[in-house]
Amino acid sequence: MSLSLALMFVSFILLCATTLASDPDPVQDYCLPNLKSGTIRTPHHTILPCRNSSEAITNDFVFSGMKAPGNFTNMGLAAISVNPTIFPGINTLGMSFVRADLKVGGINPPHFHPRATEIAYIVKGSVYSGFVDSTNRVFARVIEQGEVMVFPRGLVHFQMNVGKKPATVFGSFNSQNPGMQKIPAAIFGSGINDKLLEKAFGLSPKQIAMMRRRFDK
Ligand code: MN
């Protein structure tokens, strides 16, 4: 194979990888999912078949479940996120949304979204927010009401309410299914071999057991 042909081949593979990493472009105005007919799974996407568009009503494009905070975790975080099952109108549109409320001192623990960049808007409060890039540089500061911060796709990010009042944050994602992995649970709540965790983190078996109890789902 000539060098230029090899380069073309590599570019093509990279292009495919990039394309498949994003939500596909919609081919119709909207696609309200038909939840009764089950899902179609392909290697890269879960497809919800569309309902007949003549059945669409305005309320399919309105979500009213974010007027108030959701249920708080023991970390002082309440998050309500939409998906096509509870908000049919967003199906196939390549976006989704979250409302997060933080009690005073509450945290959104380090996590990442494998399929989406997130933009977080501080509706009220003062929130220490940041992310870590792939060279482990941290970009973080306190952001105030009215400010937004972007968390690039796949990078670990976090938030903590450092104000004296509860905080509310709205986040948008450029995928209808961003995915979410919380670092503590992914490491200590997933069943990775204890020996490996002991070596990776320099912890004793007792300390590993403690972390497991804390982050087990
Ligand atoms: Mn996030």
Side-chain angles (χ1 to χ4, degrees), residues 61-161:
F61 302 97
V62 176
F63 181 72
S64 305
M66 283 191 183
K67 291 180 186 175
N71 298 321
F72 283 92
T73 66
N74 57 6
M75 306 233 171
L77 167 73
I80 305 171
S81 45
V82 294
N83 61 57
T85 311
I86 58 169
F87 188 7
I90 67 163
N91 191 42
T92 74
L93 300 185
M95 313 185 62
S96 58
F97 197 74
V98 66
R99 170 181 175 147
D101 289 87
L102 291 159
K103 288 182 176 172
V104 174
I107 67 160
N108 189 357
H111 67 277
F112 66 93
H113 309 284
R115 291 176 291 275
T117 289
E118 175 177 0
I119 288 193
Y121 170 74
I122 309 298
V123 179
K124 61 173 189 184
S126 299
V127 181
Y128 171 73
S129 304
F131 72 89
V132 182
D133 77 6
S134 61
T135 67
N136 291 333
R137 275 178 75 193
V138 68
F139 298 86
R141 74 163 170 88
V142 176
I143 57 172
E144 308 279 352
Q145 180 170 328
E147 292 186 296
V148 295
M149 183 159 188
V150 64
F151 304 126
R153 183 168 70 194
L155 298 188
V156 172
H157 56 279
F158 46 81
Q159 293 164 320
M160 177 166 64
N161 182 357

Side-chain angles (χ1 to χ4, degrees), residues 26-98:
V27 291
Q28 50 214 326
D29 289 355
Y30 50 83
C31 164
L32 302 175
N34 185 344
L35 300 174
K36 286 184 207 115
S37 69
T39 57
I40 303 164
R41 288 176 200 284
T42 72
H44 300 290
H45 303 291
T46 298
I47 299 166
L48 298 164
C50 310
R51 267 167 26 213
N52 188 329
S53 60
S54 65
E55 294 170 12
I57 57 168
T58 304
N59 279 349
D60 288 320
F61 302 97
V62 176
F63 181 72
S64 305
M66 283 191 183
K67 291 180 186 175
N71 298 321
F72 283 92
T73 66
N74 57 6
M75 306 233 171
L77 167 73
I80 305 171
S81 45
V82 294
N83 61 57
T85 311
I86 58 169
F87 188 7
I90 67 163
N91 191 42
T92 74
L93 300 185
M95 313 185 62
S96 58
F97 197 74
V98 66

